[in-house]
């Protein structure tokens, strides 16, 4: 999701029933969550966000960068809080807006060397918000991020909106890193099979709980549990029954339970598998 502003309305939802087996939030934007108005309630500091999430059974967070400033913010937060690891990147929709794309990519490459940075992303392609005139810059940036991930030996976190075929085309052509995460997976069962065949991990957000998400549920059902992650993309994509309100890591239990139903896997078993996959991809916290 691209900066700036939460785009959410109303108050943060109440905490759900905690998970019995802890799990991670594989994709969140804490810096954006704190931009929600004070009247929305919810956590106002990193410490509060971590404590509230831990009480819900969410004990680890992946803080995701979308530009140079947010990437620096994430590296700093991960250095101060053991529960957080960071990713760094230029969001696909940022690339066409930059007057010095090469300079920004150099900054991301430099940040990628930090040991608290565990993935490069979110990067990829987005034809929903960026028109044809920006596509060449998006693809140039995407290819550069792939090389940064391979050079530093870190996972690649993909943003793919209305660009399934082109994302696979670029990854196949450039040569994907050993570890690829499809952030906020938005494809159907056929696309899920294509991704899993390449060894990719699919991260599901609150959208999997929506009534209109039949394709996502089918995708989850055909994906091996070992290839699943769960995320908030907070403050966006709040799961049902709170769709449209601000999201935060403490709401992961709602998404996990929806994903477990779709994947026909007991919740505790799914949480254990997700935690193991998270450690495999992002390393120890």
């Amino acid at each position: 999701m691209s900066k700036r502003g939460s785009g959410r309305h109303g108050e943060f939802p109440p905490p759900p029933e905690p998970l019995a087996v802890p799990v991670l939030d594989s994709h969140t934007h804490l810096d954006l969550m704190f931009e929600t108005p004070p009247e929305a309630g919810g956590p106002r500091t990193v410490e509060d966000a971590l404590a509230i999430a831990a009480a819900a059974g969410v004990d680890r967070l992946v803080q995701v960068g979308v530009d140079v400033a947010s990437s620096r913010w994430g590296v700093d937060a991960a250095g101060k809080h053991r529960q957080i690891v960071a990713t760094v990147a230029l969001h696909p929709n940022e690339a066409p807006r930059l007057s010095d794309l090469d300079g920004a990519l150099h900054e991301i490459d430099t940040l990628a060397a930090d040991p608290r940075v565990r993935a490069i992303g979110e990067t990829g392609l987005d034809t929903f918000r960026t028109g044809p005139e920006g596509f060449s810059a998006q693809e140039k940036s995407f290819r550069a991020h792939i090389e940064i991930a391979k050079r530093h030996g870190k996972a690649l976190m993909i943003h793919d909106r209305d660009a399934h075929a082109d994302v696979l085309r670029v990854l196949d052509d450039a040569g994907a890193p050993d570890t690829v995460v499809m952030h906020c997976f938005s494809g159907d069962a056929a696309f899920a099979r294509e991704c899993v065949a390449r060894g990719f991990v699919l991260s599901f957000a609150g959208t999997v709980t929506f009534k209109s998400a039949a394709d996502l549920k089918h995708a989850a059902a055909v994906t091996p549990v070992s290839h699943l992650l769960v995320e908030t993309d907070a403050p966006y994509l709040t799961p049902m029954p709170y769709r449209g309100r601000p999201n935060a890591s403490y709401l992961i239990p709602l998404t996990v339970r929806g994903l477990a139903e779709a994947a026909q896997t007991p919740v505790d078993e799914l949480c254990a598998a997700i935690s193991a996959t998270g450690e495999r991809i992002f390393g120890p916290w």
Side-chain angles (χ1 to χ4, degrees):
M1 200 52 85
S2 183
K3 296 184 107 173
R4 208 77 227 164
S6 77
R8 306 292 83 191
H9 304 286
E11 297 180 350
F12 278 87
E17 179 184 350
L19 296 167
V21 176
V23 77
L24 71 144
D25 181 351
S26 73
H27 189 117
T28 190
H29 302 278
L30 286 170
D31 54 327
L32 295 184
M33 187 175 68
F34 300 141
E35 293 183 358
T36 56
E39 58 268 23
R44 306 309 302 176
T45 67
V46 173
E47 291 79 8
D48 285 347
L50 293 173
I52 296 168
V58 183
D59 61 351
R60 289 151 294 160
L61 282 64
V62 180
Q63 166 65 23
V64 175
V66 297
D67 57 18
V68 172
S70 63
S71 295
R72 287 176 177 158
W73 191 96
V75 173
D76 181 68
K80 293 176 179 176
H81 304 279
R82 63 171 182 79
Q83 303 97 318
I84 299 174
V85 296
T87 80
V88 297
L90 309 175
H91 189 282
N93 292 326
E94 290 294 316
R97 303 171 186 163
L98 295 171
S99 59
D100 184 9
L101 177 57
D102 289 338
L105 288 167
H106 177 74
E107 293 282 351
I108 295 302
D109 193 13
T110 301
L111 289 168
D114 192 287
R116 296 298 290 170
V117 172
R118 304 297 177 79
I120 308 304
E122 57 187 283
T123 181
L125 300 172
D126 186 323
T127 62
F128 180 78
R129 285 194 171 87
T130 295
E133 70 283 354
F135 193 77
S136 62
Q138 277 198 359
E139 184 165 330
K140 174 183 175 179
S141 179
F142 185 19
R143 288 177 179 271
H145 282 81
I146 293 170
E147 294 309 311
I148 291 170
K150 290 193 287 190
R151 182 159 55 248
H152 291 276
K154 297 186 179 181
L156 186 72
M157 183 178 285
I158 302 294
H159 172 104
D160 163 23
R161 187 153 190 192
D162 294 354
H164 300 335
D166 280 322
V167 163
L168 293 184
R169 172 183 59 81
V170 173
L171 286 169
D172 290 346
D173 179 63
D178 291 339
T179 306
V180 174
V181 177
M182 302 297 290
H183 144 62
C184 189
F185 184 79
S186 59
D188 58 12
F191 186 58
R193 290 189 180 98
E194 288 272 1
C195 292
V196 170
R198 290 166 169 81
F200 301 169
V201 172
L202 314 187
S203 184
F204 285 81
T207 44
V208 77
T209 70
F210 295 176
K211 292 181 179 178
S212 58
D215 282 349
L216 281 182
K217 296 178 197 295
H218 292 151
V222 303
T223 302
V225 173
S226 59
H227 285 65
L228 291 174
L229 284 174
V230 66
E231 65 174 81
T232 55
D233 199 21
Y236 308 100
L237 305 183
T238 312
M240 294 296 289
Y242 303 110
R243 182 178 182 179
R245 290 167 65 173
N247 199 6
S249 295
Y250 72 88
L251 295 170
I252 278 280
L254 297 173
T255 301
V256 168
R257 290 177 179 122
L259 181 59
E261 182 178 355
Q264 302 176 31
T265 303
V267 173
D268 289 357
E269 180 181 326
L270 180 60
C271 287
I274 286 171
S275 289
T277 299
E279 294 275 339
R280 173 169 58 85
I281 291 170
F282 302 111
W285 264 250

